[in-house]
Amino acid sequence: MKNDNEAIRAEGIVKRFGDLTVLRGVSLAVKRGEVVCIMGPSGSGKSTLLRCLNWLSPPTEGTVWLAGEVLGTQETPNGTRVPLPDSKLRRQRSRIGMVFQSFNLWPHRTAIGNVMEGPMIVSGITKSEARRLATEILTRVGLTEKADVYPAKLSGGQQQRVAIARALAMQPEIILFDEPTSALDPELVGEVLDVMKSLATQEITMIVVTHEVGFAKDAADRILFMDEGLIVEEGSPSEFLENPKEERSRQFLERYLN
Amino acid sequence: MFNTELFFNSVPTLATAAVVTFKLFVCCVCLSLMFGTLSVMLQLSNNRAGYWLSRTYVSVMRGTPLLVQLFVVFFGLPLLGIKGQAFLAAALAIGLNSGAYTTEILRAGIQNVPVGHLEAAASIGMSRLRTWTRVVLPQAFTVSLPALTNEFTIVLKSTPLASVVAVTELTYAGVIIQARAFSAIEVFLPIAVGYIVIALSFTQLARWLERRLRDFHT
Ligand SMILES: Nc1ncnc2c1ncn2[C@@H]1O[C@H](COP(=O)(O)OP(=O)(O)OP(=O)(O)O)[C@@H](O)[C@H]1O
Ligand SMILES: [Mg+2]
């Protein structure tokens, strides 16, 4: 399983909610610096997969490795696997960033406050160091002048860029994006995608659930197509977007390309 | 007939007693917030024993008269080796009682916090306790502030109950003077003014806080 070049690997991920099986055995591996886009119809399990990958919602079956290290569980001396103690799980989670469709900024903290929170409270660096780091990261997402503004006074695009900065501030090994632009007005989508494209060129490992075909074409190394809880097709952007093999992919793309 | 002499002679005594009332009020509010916060955290932290402890606390406090609670605390403290502490007993009883209402007020505020905010905290690896203190409670307090302000003005008006265990707060001081002078209006008029001054200062403070906190909710 050990592969130095691998940021994250998942094998046989099954997720059930009661009687409902949402993921039916998903496996994937993402190399360091790789950008993988996940597409698929609504309800196919894309969000659920991302939430399994950072153990926000632990899978029912299957294993996830973060840089070769098993996520969320540990082996006991007698060979069974048990949930990892909370403190260790938290340390693993801090290595995986997540950007949500609905931003989820903390409304009682300013833009910079949101970005500083992780380094200060989770990593335990001093406030002044955290401020310096956060300022630098806000510059990277083009929001230097909005540092002291509360989220409610920011546009959706700006909020999402702050959320990206918040994830970046933990210096994660990989960032998961769950439809980062689908809650945005069309004219605000571009500024967020531009930030994400610049991250893609900076060798940041990303898994992006998105229906933005343009972004996938420009930034992705690989596209995974999900349907009914399985990855049904996988390929380079040009292969997948121009010449999908599966009928389901073709139908899906027809809807989104037009 | 308005006895001006009695009025002016009472002022120093009443002023001293007003300070006692003010101190009692502040202690009760702090205790109420403390008990309320602890109890709501127990209730919502996925711990069965904690949940039932908190529910029982709330039911008992809401279901029995404050006066009875005060007597229980006042006569209970000596059994714990704490004697002659009427002020402490009064503050504790009123604080415990109000804490039950604070629990319920905060619970509503907490349930208002979107799950996504907790998931964002979890995704950067924040601990449960830190998520409570850094994400949930600050938002819950902001949302709950008007209801809490209301609750604490009721607390202020419960403080005269402390007189039954002989704490010389504002109302009791008035009763003592009035019993000696056989005249009430000169005493209870300034007392009423005293309560209004405390209540208004408190509500003004709360409104100032609300305005400051509203900054980020609009
Ligand atoms: N906590 C849950 N409890 C029960 N069912 C759930 C839960 N979370 C997701 N599901 C179900 O799992 C299925 C897949 O949901 P998921 O959100 O992963 O889909 P998705 O591919 O992200 O869709 P969308 O494009 O609409 O975001 C849906 O049928 C959903 O109702
Ligand atoms: Mg989704």
Side-chain angles (χ1 to χ4, degrees):
Chain A
M1 271 328 127
K2 196 95 175 156
N3 182 340
D4 285 345
N5 209 11
E6 222 164 66
I8 203 163
R9 164 183 286 271
E11 281 189 8
I13 301 297
V14 171
K15 180 71 185 180
R16 287 189 206 99
F17 296 104
D19 289 340
L20 181 70
T21 305
V22 175
L23 298 176
R24 308 166 182 273
V26 175
S27 300
L28 59 87
V30 178
K31 291 201 289 283
R32 291 223 167 96
E34 199 180 10
V35 177
V36 172
C37 282
I38 300 179
M39 295 184 172
S42 179
S44 57
K46 306 177 299 293
S47 301
T48 307
L49 175 61
L50 288 193
R51 296 160 60 82
C52 285
L53 290 181
N54 71 351
W55 228 250
L56 213 49
S57 146
T60 318
E61 285 168 32
T63 311
V64 177
W65 288 265
L66 178 62
E69 182 185 322
V70 174
L71 196 68
T73 62
Q74 64 184 9
E75 203 162 340
T76 56
N78 63 20
T80 55
R81 298 212 73 92
V82 294
L84 213 55
D86 205 46
S87 60
K88 287 193 181 152
L89 174 60
R90 276 190 268 121
R91 208 162 311 140
Q92 289 183 331
R93 275 217 190 103
S94 72
R95 294 161 57 192
I96 309 171
M98 185 147 196
V99 174
F100 302 85
Q101 180 172 354
S102 49
F103 329 133
N104 290 337
L105 293 180
W106 300 305
H108 56 299
R109 303 200 188 283
T110 57
I112 198 165
N114 269 275
V115 181
M116 287 164 65
E117 192 71 0
M120 215 165 64
I121 301 301
V122 178
S123 316
I125 71 175
T126 65
K127 192 168 184 177
S128 60
E129 269 179 273
R131 182 170 290 277
R132 204 159 40 77
L133 175 69
T135 309
E136 197 183 295
I137 293 172
L138 281 177
T139 311
R140 267 167 85 187
V141 300
L143 285 173
T144 327
E145 72 291 4
K146 296 290 182 188
D148 296 314
V149 176
Y150 284 102
K153 298 224 164 65
L154 294 172
S155 74
Q158 291 167 336
Q159 289 189 51
Q160 193 59 300
R161 285 188 282 153
V162 173
I164 294 173
R166 175 172 67 181
L168 282 172
M170 295 303 290
Q171 290 159 325
E173 293 160 33
I174 181 166
I175 306 182
L176 314 173
F177 294 80
D178 191 0
E179 303 203 36
T181 57
S182 29
L184 297 176
D185 292 337
E187 71 271 21
L188 301 176
V189 168
E191 61 187 71
V192 173
L193 292 181
D194 286 344
V195 166
M196 290 169 59
K197 280 180 199 163
S198 84
L199 296 182
T201 61
Q202 291 163 35
E203 297 294 293
I204 291 181
T205 315
M206 300 166 40
I207 300 182
V208 186
V209 172
T210 185
H211 293 154
E212 293 291 336
V213 173
F215 173 81
K217 202 179 273 170
D218 293 350
D221 297 303
R222 198 147 46 100
I223 296 178
L224 309 180
F225 180 75
M226 279 185 78
D227 195 21
E228 294 178 346
L230 284 172
I231 294 176
V232 294
E233 185 169 351
E234 165 175 358
S236 71
S238 54
E239 275 168 16
F240 177 77
L241 295 171
E242 281 148 34
N243 213 350
K245 294 194 269 298
E246 296 283 326
E247 181 57 30
R248 287 183 275 188
S249 318
R250 213 166 300 146
Q251 281 171 2
F252 174 83
L253 285 172
E254 255 164 40
R255 281 226 319 281
Y256 277 95
L257 286 173
N258 307 324
Chain B
M1 277 307 291
F2 190 85
N3 184 342
T4 13
E5 200 189 331
L6 174 61
F7 174 77
F8 283 110
N9 285 343
S10 327
V11 167
T13 317
L14 293 180
T16 315
V19 172
V20 176
T21 288
F22 180 73
K23 281 185 187 158
L24 186 59
F25 173 57
V26 172
C27 290
C28 292
V29 167
C30 293
L31 287 170
S32 170
L33 284 170
M34 211 177 78
F35 291 130
T37 306
L38 271 175
S39 148
V40 81
M41 284 176 74
L42 276 178
Q43 193 173 126
L44 299 178
S45 68
N46 298 330
N47 177 314
R48 285 190 83 78
Y51 174 84
W52 285 111
L53 189 67
S54 166
R55 293 303 318 164
T56 310
Y57 161 66
V58 171
S59 307
V60 168
M61 289 299 152
R62 289 205 297 202
T64 56
L66 178 50
L67 188 56
V68 173
Q69 294 163 15
L70 177 55
F71 282 134
V72 170
V73 174
F74 182 71
F75 294 111
L77 281 181
L79 302 179
L80 302 173
I82 303 165
K83 296 205 172 80
Q85 297 282 0
F87 182 91
L88 178 68
L92 211 53
I94 300 171
L96 272 169
N97 177 275
S98 168
Y101 297 92
T102 299
T103 303
E104 295 300 283
I105 292 169
L106 287 178
R107 189 163 61 96
I110 286 165
Q111 283 166 344
N112 234 10
V113 177
V115 190
H117 295 179
L118 309 186
E119 292 184 340
S123 80
I124 61 164
M126 202 184 279
S127 71
R128 290 232 185 90
L129 186 65
R130 292 299 207 161
T131 305
W132 270 102
T133 59
R134 305 284 306 180
V135 177
V136 179
L137 290 176
Q139 290 194 64
F141 273 114
T142 309
V143 175
S144 309
L145 206 55
L148 287 173
T149 309
N150 193 40
E151 166 59 20
F152 295 149
T153 55
I154 296 172
V155 165
L156 174 62
K157 290 173 287 179
S158 306
T159 55
L161 226 53
S163 62
V164 301
V165 295
V167 175
T168 318
E169 46 65 58
L170 196 46
T171 305
Y172 192 39
V175 171
I176 296 171
I177 299 174
Q178 182 256 154
R180 272 196 232 115
F182 299 109
S183 189
I185 190 77
E186 296 83 351
V187 187
F188 283 104
L189 223 49
I191 285 175
V193 172
Y195 281 112
I196 287 177
V197 169
I198 298 176
L200 279 182
S201 332
F202 173 71
T203 48
Q204 283 308 109
L205 178 75
R207 288 187 60 176
W208 171 81
L209 204 62
E210 231 174 280
R211 266 199 305 277
R212 285 214 41 186
L213 295 173
R214 205 164 39 206
D215 254 17
F216 48 77
H217 275 300
T218 47

